[in-house]
Amino acid sequence: MKRVSLRERGRIHRLRPGRTPGEDGPDACWLEARVFDRLLAYDRSRGDGSIFEWRVDEARAGQWVGVVQVPGLLLELLPKIDSAPNHGDADLEDGITLARDNLLVMLGEAGDVPLRSRDLADLGTRKAPLHETLITLFARRLRFELLRGADRGYVGEVDDLRLMRGKLVIGRHVARNAARRERFTCAFDEFTANTELSRVLKASSRALLERTRSSEAHEALSHCLLMLDDVADEIDARPLLERVVLTRQNERFADLFAFSRLVLQQLSPTAAGGRSTVFSLLFDMDRVFEGFISAMVRRAARNLGDGTRVFPQARTRRRHLMDGDQGGILNLKPDILVEGPGGRLVIDTKWKRLGSLTQRRQAGLGAADLYQLYAYTRRYGVGRSVVLFPRVPGSVERDFAPLAANGEPDGSGIGLRFVHLHRNLRRRAEFRGVVDELATLVQDNLQPPIASEVLGGAA
């Protein structure tokens, strides 16, 4: 099986007979025609959008990161964090390792994988394929939680019993037990480990066990399945995902369930039955970046110690942009809403490349981005909104002043800002550097709300 590590915007070329392939690297690789066609068929079969931009005999990676496995190919897609130009093979390998490490940290902070800060020090297999590391993390954490105790709850059961229990199911009882007077068909609640959550965790553990080559992960997952031996096996556990209810009693399994959902949702129908080698663990980098920055801003707010609060996706603070005759229209959900003694701040995150576009009038921002930020600024009455990008060479911070009806600045502001991510986030000092950078951003941009007479009552 060919293993390829490709960064965002990297290109995959279809190798036609008679053509000489180029050298595989983090920005380009060459695949045999049959393998290329398998990857194309898989991408077209996905129900949640394409991973690649397809052209004749070429595919370009987009903002999806993670792992795709098809027969003959293990493709690792990593985020591209710009830095100084590479000068050799060692630099390229270090860049791939850094991207893999940082992606793991970002996924853990965003809540997409069951990774805790103390797990980072134990990750010795930094050059292992990304999916093996993710499976190992899941297996370790699930075993730890199951040793503390499996999820248990009351589950509805219907069975033929010798003694009455719960309620008598009359119709079924008459049909089944008319000649067996010693039996009663009863419906009752059983306190058991055979909950929807446990069945989902078992199904994902079995799926991952079939796809890992890591001895540590294999041992841990086998132990987990042994501890879940009393839990029913599901051929396809995906219908259970919407029935799982997380409570205070089982919230310790929340990130494990989130990862299990990802695993089960990305299994193809045949893979759910274990008959296919097609497998993927993919993450939308735009959402990962948003979740990571939200977590970092929360850490920064705690460090400020002045009562500043952070609301990811403006939870409990959402507002409609306008009213209609049947209620509110256009529910606004800013990526991050910050409220503190100094005022209110909206942060909108964008994982995309601006580069030299920062020199243009709109600083490379699309019209939709600016309209969106203007709507947030007006509706939330904030003194300032910020759109935040990862820093790239040539990044230039810019500021914009929304205008009032008279054509004069209304006192609010929209800022273009960047966060420096070309760091080794596994190192405590570098990780703290991101938190400190965002703390400074919050302090500098947290401003009092704009007066309601200026914004038409929005404050």
Side-chain angles (χ1 to χ4, degrees):
M1 177 181 292
K2 182 173 184 176
R3 176 184 166 187
V4 175
S5 294
L6 194 70
R7 296 188 294 195
E8 286 178 286
R9 300 183 294 278
R11 298 180 184 274
I12 302 173
H13 301 278
R14 187 174 190 265
L15 184 60
R16 288 187 174 275
R19 291 182 59 185
T20 302
E23 183 178 354
D24 289 341
D27 296 313
C29 69
W30 280 257
L31 300 180
E32 294 180 3
R34 59 178 181 173
V35 177
F36 184 94
D37 292 342
R38 288 170 188 160
L39 185 63
L40 172 60
Y42 165 72
D43 199 24
R44 287 179 172 174
S45 70
R46 283 171 50 84
D48 53 353
S50 295
I51 310 168
F52 304 98
E53 299 173 8
W54 294 94
R55 299 177 183 174
V56 177
D57 291 341
E58 183 181 282
R60 182 181 180 184
Q63 65 183 28
W64 289 90
V65 295
V67 175
V68 178
Q69 180 179 331
V70 297
L73 175 68
L74 177 63
L75 177 62
E76 185 179 45
L77 299 169
L78 298 172
K80 183 172 183 179
I81 301 174
D82 292 285
S83 61
N86 295 304
H87 298 289
D89 293 340
D91 291 327
L92 285 172
E93 185 61 33
D94 288 344
I96 291 295
T97 301
L98 178 64
R100 189 181 295 123
D101 283 353
N102 285 355
L103 177 58
L104 285 170
V105 176
M106 294 173 75
L107 288 171
E109 291 295 326
D112 292 313
V113 299
L115 173 65
R116 298 164 296 180
S117 57
R118 61 176 175 269
D119 296 326
L120 294 175
D122 299 331
L123 288 178
T125 57
R126 300 177 61 190
K127 295 184 179 181
L130 180 64
H131 74 291
E132 292 288 10
T133 304
L134 293 175
I135 293 173
T136 301
L137 289 169
F138 172 83
R140 286 181 185 176
R141 178 69 180 282
L142 180 59
R143 180 171 59 181
F144 173 80
E145 295 298 346
L146 290 177
L147 287 171
R148 293 176 59 191
D151 176 52
R152 293 182 178 273
Y154 286 98
V155 177
E157 301 281 354
V158 177
D159 200 1
D160 294 330
L161 305 176
R162 292 184 178 273
L163 297 175
M164 276 290 298
R165 182 180 178 185
K167 296 181 179 180
L168 182 67
V169 184
I170 297 177
R172 184 169 173 177
H173 171 70
V174 171
R176 293 170 59 92
N177 300 318
R180 298 190 302 173
R181 296 186 177 182
E182 78 283 3
R183 296 281 183 176
F184 303 91
T185 302
C186 303
F188 56 92
D189 290 333
E190 180 80 14
F191 190 71
T192 176
N194 191 31
T195 62
E196 285 89 353
L197 175 58
S198 294
R199 282 144 63 191
V200 165
L201 294 174
K202 185 174 184 179
S204 59
S205 296
R206 193 172 298 282
L208 293 174
L209 182 64
E210 296 172 354
R211 290 161 176 83
T212 182
R213 295 185 179 181
S214 165
S215 58
E216 180 185 357
H218 194 280
E219 178 185 358
L221 288 171
S222 298
H223 192 189
C224 291
L225 290 173
L226 183 63
M227 288 187 282
L228 293 171
D229 188 54
D230 293 335
V231 176
D233 287 300
E234 299 286 339
I235 296 177
D236 186 358
R238 286 173 293 184
L240 296 175
L241 295 174
E242 303 307 321
R243 291 159 49 188
V244 172
V245 177
L246 295 175
T247 65
R248 291 199 299 182
Q249 283 70 38
N250 62 12
E251 64 181 359
R252 58 193 174 95
F253 292 100
D255 50 359
L256 292 163
F257 170 68
F259 188 73
S260 296
R261 173 190 286 272
L262 177 73
V263 170
L264 296 175
Q265 285 179 333
Q266 295 195 19
L267 289 178
S268 66
T270 54
R275 298 189 300 273
S276 173
T277 57
V278 175
F279 175 68
S280 65
L281 279 173
L282 294 167
F283 308 86
D284 185 336
M285 198 59 208
D286 203 43
R287 295 182 60 182
V288 173
F289 181 59
E290 176 190 332
F292 172 70
I293 294 298
S294 293
M296 294 293 97
V297 172
R298 286 198 296 271
R299 289 176 180 267
R302 287 197 296 268
N303 292 345
L304 293 177
D306 58 0
T308 299
R309 302 176 66 189
V310 179
F311 302 90
Q313 287 286 303
R315 295 189 188 110
T316 73
R317 295 293 192 276
R318 294 179 182 175
R319 299 179 179 182
H320 290 98
L321 184 61
M322 59 188 73
D323 282 329
D325 55 4
Q326 296 184 6
I329 298 175
L330 296 179
N331 193 16
L332 299 180
K333 297 183 291 184
D335 291 345
I336 304 169
L337 177 65
V338 183
E339 294 182 352
R344 193 182 297 142
L345 168 67
V346 165
I347 302 175
D348 192 53
T349 61
K350 302 289 183 185
W351 180 268
K352 62 181 181 182
R353 185 185 182 93
L354 289 182
S356 61
L357 294 178
T358 54
Q359 304 297 331
R360 298 182 181 178
R361 178 176 295 184
Q362 293 181 194
L365 295 172
D369 296 328
L370 291 172
Y371 285 135
Q372 184 181 52
L373 288 164
Y374 181 74
Y376 291 155
T377 303
R378 296 281 296 188
R379 185 64 184 91
Y380 281 88
V382 295
R384 192 165 187 79
S385 295
V386 170
V387 57
L388 186 65
F389 288 82
R391 186 177 298 281
V392 296
S395 298
V396 178
E397 295 185 352
R398 295 283 298 277
D399 291 289
F400 307 92
L403 302 178
N406 60 6
E408 297 295 327
D410 63 13
S412 63
I414 294 174
L416 171 64
R417 297 293 182 266
F418 302 89
V419 58
H420 175 44
L421 291 182
H422 188 70
R423 316 167 184 256
N424 188 337
L425 297 178
R426 286 183 61 178
R427 296 176 181 171
R428 183 178 295 273
E430 299 285 349
F431 185 88
R432 292 291 314 163
V434 177
V435 176
D436 293 342
E437 188 175 340
L438 292 174
T440 300
L441 183 144
V442 171
Q443 287 180 314
D444 291 346
N445 293 278
L446 200 63
Q447 297 182 7
I450 300 301
S452 58
E453 59 269 17
V454 175
L455 295 182

